[in-house]
Amino acid sequence: MNIFLNASSGIPLYEQIKAQIKFQIIGGLLTENEPMPSMRVLANDLGISLITTKRAYDDLIQEGVLYTVSTKGCFVAKPDLKKIRTTALKSITEKLEDIVCEAKKYGVEVAQMREIFDGILNKI
Amino acid sequence: MNIFLNASSGIPLYEQIKAQIKFQIIGGLLTENEPMPSMRVLANDLGISLITTKRAYDDLIQEGVLYTVSTKGCFVAKPDLKKIRTTALKSITEKLEDIVCEAKKYGVEVAQMREIFDGILNKI
Amino acid sequence: MNIFLNASSGIPLYEQIKAQIKFQIIGGLLTENEPMPSMRVLANDLGISLITTKRAYDDLIQEGVLYTVSTKGCFVAKPDLKKIRTTALKSITEKLEDIVCEAKKYGVEVAQMREIFDGILNKI
Amino acid sequence: MNIFLNASSGIPLYEQIKAQIKFQIIGGLLTENEPMPSMRVLANDLGISLITTKRAYDDLIQEGVLYTVSTKGCFVAKPDLKKIRTTALKSITEKLEDIVCEAKKYGVEVAQMREIFDGILNKI
DNA sequence: GTGGTCTAGACCACT
DNA sequence: GTGGTCTAGACCACC
């Protein structure tokens, strides 16, 4: 399981884990009914506390992204790609709005914002 | 002094204060050598603790946005608009990059990102 | 952590703490990525308020001397010895200039100043 | 009376006044029994509060640098140049010692300190 | 009245 | 346990 954590980013570790698991599902790296590494194993692999992986898994189960089979472990649920994408789009749109709003207060012109944004899109 | 705080936004009050003071300097509402309300008065006006306004002022003094004259109060420093804007642009660009990067992981297409962004720009 | 405070020196406690931590980094007693005592522990050891140690740490983090890993604690950053020394030399030079300037106004001759200074250097 | 104040230097205004009056006595600009400007006039000239000039004069009277004749005002006392110089030398020596001590903690070599000091002396 | 320093607490999120 | 934020209070020097 390839997950990369940044302890000093300020973003909670469990949120970083949750996001990367979702990315892998969206990207097809994790497929329906595939077994997830156990919380203990993942905690060990990442060198973090079991509590942290548990928090991430619990959240994902709660969101319906994973499901748990007692004594067997956690598995990837049937991915509701539409829901995940809709949620993601909503979150992204909101964040963009916040930034645009902030930029406006700093006196950044619309044309300049578009320029910056295009620059980023072209770079990736 | 028009400052609006949102106690439930998750953004520290002193950061909100700092940002709005900077916005007012950028917007020309606060001009060089203009006296700022005293920490006590501002704290009273906003209904928050003296410590919180002091924290905001201290940070801005440290950044060179305000300066203090012992027992007289705090004043607006010669606004280094260029630096403030450069810093702001850098921060905004970084945030945009993060979002675009996140969106990409969620499988959002470039065309769709541009569409969302244009929608926001047209709305404001 | 050996830090000695002089409550009656007029120098703020947090400045004394900051200076001594920098001295220890310069002197190699504190090395890169070494964990600092937690704010609470240090406050306890020194018999001062948590707020005062926090103030010192915050300043040092802001200066890039320390860095913080959320919930893990504060650590010694990659010491930019050059910057620290340059800053120190600048500050020392300025102070020396002020004193020489003051001495001159008191009519102290250059030769005498040199004599005093040599006396001090020979003593240490 | 030529006195120059720096409101934002951090040094109390009354200390700045005291020092400059002493300098003028040492330099022979103010001579024995010469009348000083009244506190009110001086306060007015400097654009500061009467309280501040009073504090400065009171201190100087206390130190024997000035004397007061009721209803007539303040005058320059017989300057005990030796005492003033001795006091000044002591204060300067102490300050130099503090700086040298601080510089040493920052790892500045004796040779380098001497170099800096000579540079300053040659400049003035 | 001003800012500068320091104190003793509290609550929170995260591990 | 850690740091981050916020609070209510105090004392000081200076003006």
Side-chain angles (χ1 to χ4, degrees), chain A residues 68-118:
Chain A
T68 177
V69 176
S70 55
T71 84
K72 294 292 179 52
C74 283
F75 300 82
V76 178
K78 177 170 168 48
D80 186 349
L81 293 178
K82 198 172 160 195
K83 182 182 161 200
I84 296 182
R85 286 203 60 197
T86 307
T87 310
L89 278 183
K90 190 158 158 260
S91 146
I92 286 165
T93 305
E94 275 172 9
K95 286 183 193 163
L96 279 179
E97 279 172 349
D98 285 351
I99 295 180
V100 168
C101 179
E102 186 194 351
K104 202 179 151 216
K105 288 194 201 140
Y106 274 115
V108 182
E109 298 293 339
V110 167
Q112 189 170 10
M113 295 233 45
R114 190 170 273 121
E115 194 179 317
I116 294 172
F117 194 72
D118 281 345

Side-chain angles (χ1 to χ4, degrees), chain A residues 3 6 8 11 14-16 19-20 23 27 30 34 44 51 58 63 71-73 79 83 90 94-95 111 114 118:
Chain A
I3 288 184
N6 180 348
S8 51
I11 299 167
Y14 70 88
E15 290 289 1
Q16 296 183 41
Q20 294 190 39
F23 294 154
L30 290 173
E34 184 171 343
N44 216 46
I51 298 181
D58 283 352
E63 291 178 27
T71 84
K72 294 292 179 52
K83 182 182 161 200
K90 190 158 158 260
E94 275 172 9
K95 286 183 193 163
R114 190 170 273 121
D118 281 345

Side-chain angles (χ1 to χ4, degrees), chain C residues 19-20 22-23 26-27 84-85 88-89 91-97 99-110 112-114 116-118 120-124, chain D residues 19-20 22-23 26-27 84-85 88-89 91-97 99-110 112-114 116-118 120-124:
Chain C
Q20 294 189 41
K22 284 188 200 170
F23 293 154
I26 297 245
I84 298 181
R85 287 204 61 198
L89 277 182
S91 146
I92 286 166
T93 304
E94 275 172 9
K95 286 183 194 163
L96 280 179
E97 278 172 349
I99 294 183
V100 168
C101 180
E102 186 194 351
K104 201 181 152 215
K105 287 192 200 143
Y106 274 116
V108 182
E109 298 293 337
V110 166
Q112 189 171 10
M113 294 241 39
R114 190 170 274 121
I116 294 172
F117 194 72
D118 280 345
I120 295 171
L121 289 186
N122 290 333
K123 209 166 57 187
I124 64 171
Chain D
Q20 293 189 41
K22 283 188 200 171
F23 294 154
I26 298 246
I84 296 181
R85 286 203 61 197
L89 277 183
S91 145
I92 286 165
T93 304
E94 276 172 8
K95 287 183 194 162
L96 279 179
E97 279 171 350
I99 295 181
V100 168
C101 178
E102 186 193 352
K104 202 181 150 214
K105 289 195 200 138
Y106 275 115
V108 183
E109 300 292 338
V110 167
Q112 190 171 10
M113 293 234 47
R114 190 170 274 120
I116 293 172
F117 194 72
D118 281 345
I120 294 170
L121 289 186
N122 290 333
K123 210 165 56 186
I124 64 170

Side-chain angles (χ1 to χ4, degrees), chain C residues 16-32:
Chain C
Q16 297 183 40
I17 296 172
K18 284 166 59 182
Q20 294 189 41
I21 289 175
K22 284 188 200 170
F23 293 154
Q24 301 200 9
I25 291 176
I26 297 245
L29 291 175
L30 290 173
T31 53
E32 193 177 347

Side-chain angles (χ1 to χ4, degrees), chain B residues 94-109:
Chain B
E94 275 171 11
K95 286 183 194 162
L96 280 179
E97 278 171 349
D98 285 350
I99 294 182
V100 168
C101 180
E102 187 194 351
K104 201 181 151 214
K105 289 195 200 138
Y106 275 117
V108 183
E109 299 293 337

Side-chain angles (χ1 to χ4, degrees), chain D residues 1 21-36 65-67 74-79 81:
Chain D
M1 183 111 223
I21 289 176
K22 283 188 200 171
F23 294 154
Q24 301 198 9
I25 292 174
I26 298 246
L29 291 174
L30 290 173
T31 54
E32 194 177 345
N33 297 323
E34 184 172 342
M36 295 292 293
V65 174
L66 302 182
Y67 66 92
C74 283
F75 300 82
V76 178
K78 176 172 169 45
L81 292 178

